[in-house]
Amino acid sequence: MLLAKTLGSSTFRLALIAIGIFGLIVSAIFAYVYWSTLSYVRDRSDRAIMTEQVSLDGAYARSGREGLSALIAQCIADKDFADHVYLLVDAGSAVLAGNLGVWPAHTGERGWTEFRTSPPRLASGTVLVRAVAETLPGGERLLVGRDISDLDGFMAQIRAAGIAVVVLIIGLAAAASIGVTRRTVGRIESINATSRAIMLSGLDQRIPLRGSHDEWDRVAENLNLMLDRIQTLMGDVKQVSENIAHDLRTPLTRMRGRLEKAYHAPRNVEGDAALIGDTIADLDAVLGMFASITRISEIETRARKGAFRTVNLVEIAGEVVELYDAAAEEVTTDLDLAGAPVVLVTGDRDLLFDAIANLVDNAIKHGRPGGRVTVTCDNDQSGPMISVADDGPGIPADQHDRVFKRFYRLEQSRYTPGNGLGLSLVAAVASLHGARIELRDNTPGLLFRLVFPATET
């Protein structure tokens, strides 16, 4: 099954194309080496034959036919010329001198030729001879050549070696391609199998790692991280859905109860007006919840960066403190502003106001009655920052990350006014502005810090 998928994969087809191109390149290289070697060796042999022909032509010019015949006989008798071929014939093709018995067939009166013959030195078999023919001034024809059987055998060995090397390289490349493709297809099938398992049974499955730390393991790690993120988001969606249902059930139940009571009771102007007012208040709370969700989504999509300007955090914090001063007095809480007089950041003034307002509102609501809430703006070493500190019960350390989820509320805050979206909006504003969120124990209480990137000047 895996072999069939391997042979049918696009990776294997690409590998075959690469092997074909590589084979052509290797074949071209060997062909160049072959023809270059053949040309070089033949040129050397041809130059030697031409030199010998010139020497014989000189003997003919000096001593005529008899002198040429004598020189040919002398060369034939010399063992150093055992692989040389000579033939001198008259105009009627009668042999006058040489070690060939007849003028070779298909050989003209002049020019280069190659033929096979059986010289007297061989008991059996033939040799390949390369020779040059010419017609002498007296009408005689002279053939001078050499046995090139060794050259022919050498070139045959080069051809055989070249073909063997090309076949071996292509075979090894094909085997390596199948192995690599099989491994690739195996890893892809592992990912596909995990994907199918996820579709059938849920997001609990993960792609197995082989510990090779190669690119496939890195892909698997990233996919597993993506699955972890998706599973987390799905859990958040489930939690948000449950929290929305929980938070909407109470006001909707109250509205239905009032309307049902009014439906069955006699009409009363004052009672109907009070019912309508209470119902409108509950509807406003529900609409406010959805407006907050929409605003958080808008901030998270970074659609509001067009309003970014250089602003002073101290001025914004001062306006928030002034706005919530009356609310703090109602619960006898001291609300103070401290820190540097000027802390500049680049951002959206309205969004920063909302974020700081949410932090101050939370500190007043969940702090200790009769306690203290301090808003501090300063230029920290890591950048401009604003902090809101209270002396209430604080937030458990294991809940620090969860409080930024939408509709998430601590158990002790479940029955206090709010919808669990305040810190989600703060987190969205902080992310939009590139700010770092820090939650610390204020011993007692909670210290919430927003640290912004340094403003360019």
Side-chain angles (χ1 to χ4, degrees), residues 1 8 20 31 61 87 105 135 138 177-178 207 225 230 247 253 311 332 340 360 399 402 423 427 441 446 454:
M1 184 66 177
L87 181 60
T135 301
S177 298
I178 292 176
I207 300 170
L225 290 175
I230 292 174
D247 289 344
T253 301
V311 296
T332 64
V360 172
Q399 303 288 319
R402 299 183 183 181
L423 289 182
D441 189 357
L446 179 70

Side-chain angles (χ1 to χ4, degrees), residues 379-396:
N379 291 293
D380 196 77
Q381 291 181 350
S382 54
M385 76 87 188
I386 182 170
S387 66
V388 178
D390 64 65
D391 53 2
I395 298 176

